[in-house]
Amino acid sequence: MGEENPQNKWQGYVDWRSKPALRGRHGGFLAAYFVLVVEVMENLAFLANTSNLVLYFLDYMHFSPSRSSNTVTNFMGTAFLLALIGGFLSDAFFTTYHIYVSSALIELVGLVILAVQAHWPSLQPSRCSAANSTAPCQEPNGAQAAMLFIGLYLVAAGVGGIKGSLPTHGAEQFDESTPQGRIQRSTFFNYYVFCLSAGGLIAVTFVVWLEDNKGWQWGFLVSTLSILLSIPVFLAGSAFYKNKIPNGSPFTTIFKVLLAATFNCCMRRNSSNAVANLTASPSYAVENANRGREKGEVPDSLETQTESLKFLNKAVDIKPVCGALECTVKEVEEVKVVLKIFPIFASTITLNCCLAQLSTFSVQQAATMNTKLGSLKIPPASLPVFPIIIIMAVAPVYDHIIIPFARRATKTEGGISHLQRIGTGLVLSIAAMAAAALVEVKRKRVATHHGMLDSPNQLPITFFWVAIQYSLLGSADLFSLAGMLEFFFTEAPASMRSLATSLSWASLAMGYYLSSVIVSIVNSATGRGHHKPWLSGSNLNHYHLERFYWLLCVLGAVNFVNYLFWASCYKYRSTGSRK
């Protein structure tokens, strides 16, 4: 009988059998633990290959350094951009539960294709000629390239769906109506980044060692097994999950409000329009404000009309001629929230452009340096271990020591605001690019001093110098990613949370694409006339990589000023997010 009481049910949520989710049975940290374990396995499968993929393209597919870097950034950019599709489908038509399972299966198929190609030499381009070192190496033919890119982009599609659904699925397990639930949700996001890094730690150590010493087919096999095992682990938590009921396409609401506001504005300007004169009354706005309550919806902060972005208020101030354009106050306020968080999203793209260098030029830098640690030879693709260890060490300290202290000091629920965390990440990314430029200057000086500019041998300089930029970028990632995930989730309307949270990954995608665009623009601008482009050729020692890093540093500084403007203007709407 107690289960029939509406107070015992999670409003708007169902279990995996589409029955009402019950308080005390569904949700909470027990359900979130399954998500965290799955994230370890999922990111192991993804990062195991992406961290070393640039060397796979160089050594096995015989791409040039710049093409290898661009191929990696395009692949990763696509994977993260497709998170928007995963988030959209989770909000509009399916639950995050179903999107994760289907996306994991898609990624599994892609990894199987890549593993098969890596195992059979006939599916790869011919090895470079040892007898003629000056002859160009053969790149993949049409069928080989098709197999490579089909496998890659199936993986990208699967990763996108997972990134767009899994963090939201975990965050929705908590009760946001209580301070304890909101604090637990904040802890979940911190440990989500921790688990993401734990999977990465295994990937850039054990799996990269397998790829470099036993063959790439073993690396792809481990990734395949990891994503395969993640599916039953995720399904094992089915009895504990509460799954948000889809609310229909959020884009429908956004477009409807924008069209209604524009149309009504035009109607109002025409003073001779009888419909505009008759319907421009306060009573219609009140009617719309109460419509949600008549449907039995729980009132929230979006039920009250605000004066910000007043242009959109015209969507409810005037009754439209077309009934399809009728909007509620809540729908208008939801669209306002989306428009307000967009500048914050845009300001993080440059940061992620800097993070893209971890998978591209920084790996190639390290490959030219002495990677020995005593008698142990460290693969260049294992360098991300430095930022990963920093994230795993700092995340628990941040959640259990820094945040409680900040809460007591500021007397606020959050302690440190989401925007402060993102801003810290931006500053650290600028410092990382400055450090990367200085390290590249030192590396090339060593190459010049020892007459090794054209030598394929490793330079007599330790790869620990590159670890500086890795560590700074890792710290930037900790602050920015966790801050963005929680900021977009908590500030977004409930009907758009998966899509809004996916903006964190879309920012990564745009950062990777921006990196490719900047490389192309730099080469085009610097290669005019008889000048050699900064980032062209097969020998990294002849690149002007330090100038590229300084360019990113300047762009980051300009972007930070832009971010400060938007962050200072932003007003939090959600409880527990305020400064």
Side-chain angles (χ1 to χ4, degrees), residues 47-57 208 211-212 216 363 381:
L47 199 58
N49 301 307
T50 54
S51 63
N52 208 20
L53 201 56
V54 67
L55 298 183
Y56 180 66
F57 291 146
V208 167
E211 291 167 348
D212 287 351
W216 267 86
V363 176

Side-chain angles (χ1 to χ4, degrees), residues 419-455:
L419 294 179
Q420 288 170 342
R421 294 187 67 173
I422 297 171
T424 302
L426 289 172
V427 172
L428 289 171
S429 69
I430 297 170
M433 290 299 96
L438 294 173
V439 169
E440 176 63 8
V441 170
K442 181 176 182 63
R443 189 191 70 82
K444 289 179 69 174
R445 282 178 180 171
V446 170
T448 302
H449 179 72
H450 289 85
M452 299 179 66
L453 284 175
D454 297 308
S455 173

Side-chain angles (χ1 to χ4, degrees), residues 300-443:
D300 60 23
S301 61
L302 295 176
E303 297 281 348
T304 305
Q305 192 176 75
T306 62
E307 293 302 307
S308 60
L309 298 175
K310 293 179 65 175
F311 164 78
L312 295 179
N313 290 344
K314 292 181 174 61
V316 291
D317 287 344
I318 305 174
K319 186 174 183 178
V321 175
C322 178
L325 293 180
E326 287 193 17
C327 303
T328 64
V329 170
K330 184 176 182 179
E331 288 173 334
V332 172
E333 294 302 313
E334 286 179 345
V335 174
K336 287 182 181 181
V337 170
V338 173
L339 295 180
K340 288 176 183 177
I341 65 177
F342 189 80
I344 303 296
F345 155 74
S347 299
T348 62
I349 295 174
T350 303
L351 177 150
N352 288 306
C353 178
C354 298
L355 287 174
Q357 308 316 311
L358 288 176
S359 305
T360 55
F361 288 123
S362 294
V363 176
Q364 296 178 41
Q365 272 182 293
T368 68
M369 303 167 80
N370 181 8
T371 58
K372 287 187 176 180
L373 184 61
S375 59
L376 181 65
K377 183 178 177 63
I378 308 295
S382 292
L383 273 177
V385 72
F386 291 101
I388 287 173
I389 289 175
I390 287 177
I391 290 174
M392 295 182 68
V394 173
V397 173
Y398 178 85
D399 192 73
H400 297 290
I401 298 177
I402 298 176
I403 286 297
F405 174 78
R407 287 183 183 130
R408 290 192 297 269
T410 62
K411 293 182 171 54
T412 59
E413 188 178 294
I416 299 175
S417 73
H418 311 322
L419 294 179
Q420 288 170 342
R421 294 187 67 173
I422 297 171
T424 302
L426 289 172
V427 172
L428 289 171
S429 69
I430 297 170
M433 290 299 96
L438 294 173
V439 169
E440 176 63 8
V441 170
K442 181 176 182 63
R443 189 191 70 82

Side-chain angles (χ1 to χ4, degrees), residues 167 189-190 192-193 341-353 355 417-423 425-426 476-492 497 499-509 563:
F189 279 116
N190 288 328
Y192 178 85
V193 176
I341 65 177
F342 189 80
I344 303 296
F345 155 74
S347 299
T348 62
I349 295 174
T350 303
L351 177 150
N352 288 306
C353 178
L355 287 174
S417 73
H418 311 322
L419 294 179
Q420 288 170 342
R421 294 187 67 173
I422 297 171
L426 289 172
D477 197 22
L478 170 63
F479 281 97
S480 61
L481 181 57
M484 284 191 291
L485 286 170
E486 190 171 1
F487 172 74
F488 292 133
F489 182 90
T490 57
E491 292 299 296
R497 278 183 168 168
L499 180 63
T501 305
S502 299
L503 289 175
S504 304
W505 309 112
S507 175
L508 276 169
Y563 174 80

Side-chain angles (χ1 to χ4, degrees), residues 1-6 8-9 22 25:
M1 292 296 292
E3 292 185 2
E4 298 299 325
N5 188 341
N8 292 335
K9 298 179 180 179
L22 304 175
R25 180 181 297 182

Side-chain angles (χ1 to χ4, degrees), residues 124-139:
Q124 306 169 26
S126 302
R127 298 288 184 183
C128 297
S129 174
N132 187 2
S133 59
T134 60
C137 297
Q138 181 182 355
E139 292 190 0

